[in-house]
Amino acid sequence: MPLTSPTRERLTAGIARLVQAGRYVSSRAADSLYGDLPSFGWALLVPLERDGEQRCSALALQSGVDVSVASRQVTALERSGLVERRPDPHDGRASLIRLSAAGAAALAQTRALRAEWAGEALADWDEDDACLLSELIERLTDDLDRAAPPAVRTAS
Amino acid sequence: MPLTSPTRERLTAGIARLVQAGRYVSSRAADSLYGDLPSFGWALLVPLERDGEQRCSALALQSGVDVSVASRQVTALERSGLVERRPDPHDGRASLIRLSAAGAAALAQTRALRAEWAGEALADWDEDDACLLSELIERLTDDLDRAAPPAVRTAS
DNA sequence: TCCGTTTGGTTGCTGTCTGCAACGGACCCT
DNA sequence: AGGGTCCGTTGCAGACAGCAACCAAACGGA
């Protein structure tokens, strides 16, 4: 128990506020660029970029959503040309999903847009603080990810 | 343009990840305590606690949702006994919403639960880092809140 | 080889939540 | 008073989630 109780509460309260603010921003970013596709689909693109080609169920697991949801999202993303799908050579039931060039570009574009907005909001920040915050947030998220999975586990 | 581009991208990517992780955690926290009421209702309780008694439209504005949504949430929260509502003595159209004792208790309980979870996830953090991160996150959220409202405007 | 079982994915159904629009009532200014 | 404005509620439609039923392919024992 290295953290005092008030600090933990303060930190979680801060995170909660940030999550709320970020939710708004990210939803906005998505439909300002590609309003015609399900906004949540972006969550699938990230693991695709990070881990490369993989199957639908793996995507669902990583995003913490039901397989059916992932399936629909993938269909939509495929229609939009952001991902490509090919049958798994080793398993006729499965498909492998891959980020297309357009998908990678769209992802980069979204990031750029977000960064631009952030630049406006953080006009009076200096580089050191931003770097420090980045580091701390990355560390925090890593720890959160590590602690969360047990709950994500479909009880399986 | 005080922040370099890579820093901005890094920071926004980190925030995006954190938002995603936090979304999961907060939804989980809400329905593990009070699964019978709309999970989003908690977002209304926070401004109520912070700014005291206020009217429905103010609540909606602060939470960034439509007035109709806030109205429904308030109704649900009132049924659950977490808030109390009384007619505005100065304006017969409006109601003033106030956090009830039960609401304050529930809020505290939720915070405690979140803090407990955080304590597990952040077992290897020290007090200084956590405080520093809290400060930075608070500052960040303040800036984000300040920058966001212009965008909230009906999307065009 | 054959057949029952397991697994991957898709689709239908249902419920929740959101925003927009229309409405009723109260306020304010003339 | 009377018209315009504002607050809040409710009806409606759309987006998205999960569960469950379903098909097809792979697996495994007899």
Side-chain angles (χ1 to χ4, degrees):
Chain A
M1 190 83 67
L3 264 50
T4 65
S5 193
T7 300
R8 283 184 306 184
E9 294 195 3
R10 181 182 172 199
L11 186 53
T12 51
I15 295 173
R17 276 186 63 207
L18 180 57
V19 167
Q20 191 182 346
R23 185 179 319 208
Y24 164 74
V25 170
S26 62
S27 74
R28 189 155 203 66
D31 59 53
S32 93
L33 274 180
Y34 292 84
D36 55 333
L37 60 81
S39 59
F40 182 72
W42 294 101
L44 298 184
L45 262 43
V46 176
L48 273 179
E49 183 185 50
R50 190 182 56 216
D51 303 326
E53 195 175 47
Q54 54 194 299
R55 54 178 60 182
C56 192
S57 54
L59 240 44
L61 190 63
Q62 290 195 40
S63 306
V65 297
D66 192 82
V67 184
S68 64
V69 176
S71 173
R72 283 186 257 259
Q73 302 284 6
V74 166
T75 303
L77 291 171
E78 191 186 16
R79 265 202 309 270
S80 303
L82 300 181
V83 304
E84 291 164 358
R85 144 196 271 159
R86 61 161 185 155
D88 186 330
H90 301 318
D91 190 335
R93 299 168 297 181
S95 294
L96 292 176
I97 318 297
R98 190 163 48 87
L99 197 61
S100 73
L107 210 44
Q109 197 179 351
T110 308
R111 285 212 186 86
L113 180 66
R114 274 195 324 220
E116 185 186 332
W117 287 359
E120 296 172 12
L122 308 180
D124 58 345
W125 283 59
D126 62 45
E127 186 77 12
D128 287 345
D129 284 353
C131 271
L132 183 57
L133 178 56
S134 294
E135 273 172 35
L136 287 171
I137 282 185
E138 283 161 16
R139 187 175 149 203
L140 173 68
T141 312
D142 287 342
D143 286 346
L144 248 37
D145 281 349
R146 201 174 313 122
V152 177
R153 294 301 176 221
T154 334
S156 73
Chain B
M1 188 85 69
L3 264 49
T4 66
S5 191
T7 300
R8 284 184 306 184
E9 294 196 2
R10 181 183 173 199
L11 186 53
T12 51
I15 295 173
R17 277 186 61 206
L18 179 58
V19 167
Q20 191 180 348
R23 182 179 323 209
Y24 165 74
V25 170
S26 62
S27 73
R28 194 155 199 67
D31 59 53
S32 93
L33 274 181
Y34 291 84
D36 56 330
L37 58 82
S39 60
F40 183 73
W42 294 101
L44 299 186
L45 262 45
V46 176
L48 272 179
E49 183 184 52
R50 190 182 55 218
D51 301 326
E53 194 175 46
Q54 55 194 299
R55 53 178 61 182
C56 193
S57 55
L59 242 42
L61 189 64
Q62 290 196 40
S63 306
V65 297
D66 192 82
V67 183
S68 64
V69 176
S71 172
R72 283 186 258 259
Q73 303 284 6
V74 166
T75 304
L77 290 172
E78 190 186 17
R79 265 202 310 270
S80 303
L82 300 181
V83 303
E84 291 164 357
R85 144 197 269 159
R86 61 162 185 152
D88 186 330
H90 301 318
D91 189 336
R93 300 168 296 180
S95 294
L96 291 176
I97 319 295
R98 189 164 48 88
L99 198 60
S100 73
L107 209 45
Q109 198 178 351
T110 309
R111 284 214 186 85
L113 180 66
R114 274 197 324 218
E116 184 185 333
W117 288 0
E120 297 171 11
L122 308 181
D124 58 346
W125 283 59
D126 62 45
E127 185 79 9
D128 288 345
D129 284 353
C131 273
L132 182 57
L133 178 56
S134 293
E135 273 173 34
L136 288 171
I137 283 185
E138 282 161 16
R139 186 176 150 201
L140 171 68
T141 311
D142 286 343
D143 286 346
L144 249 36
D145 281 347
R146 201 175 311 121
V152 176
R153 284 308 166 217
T154 59
S156 64

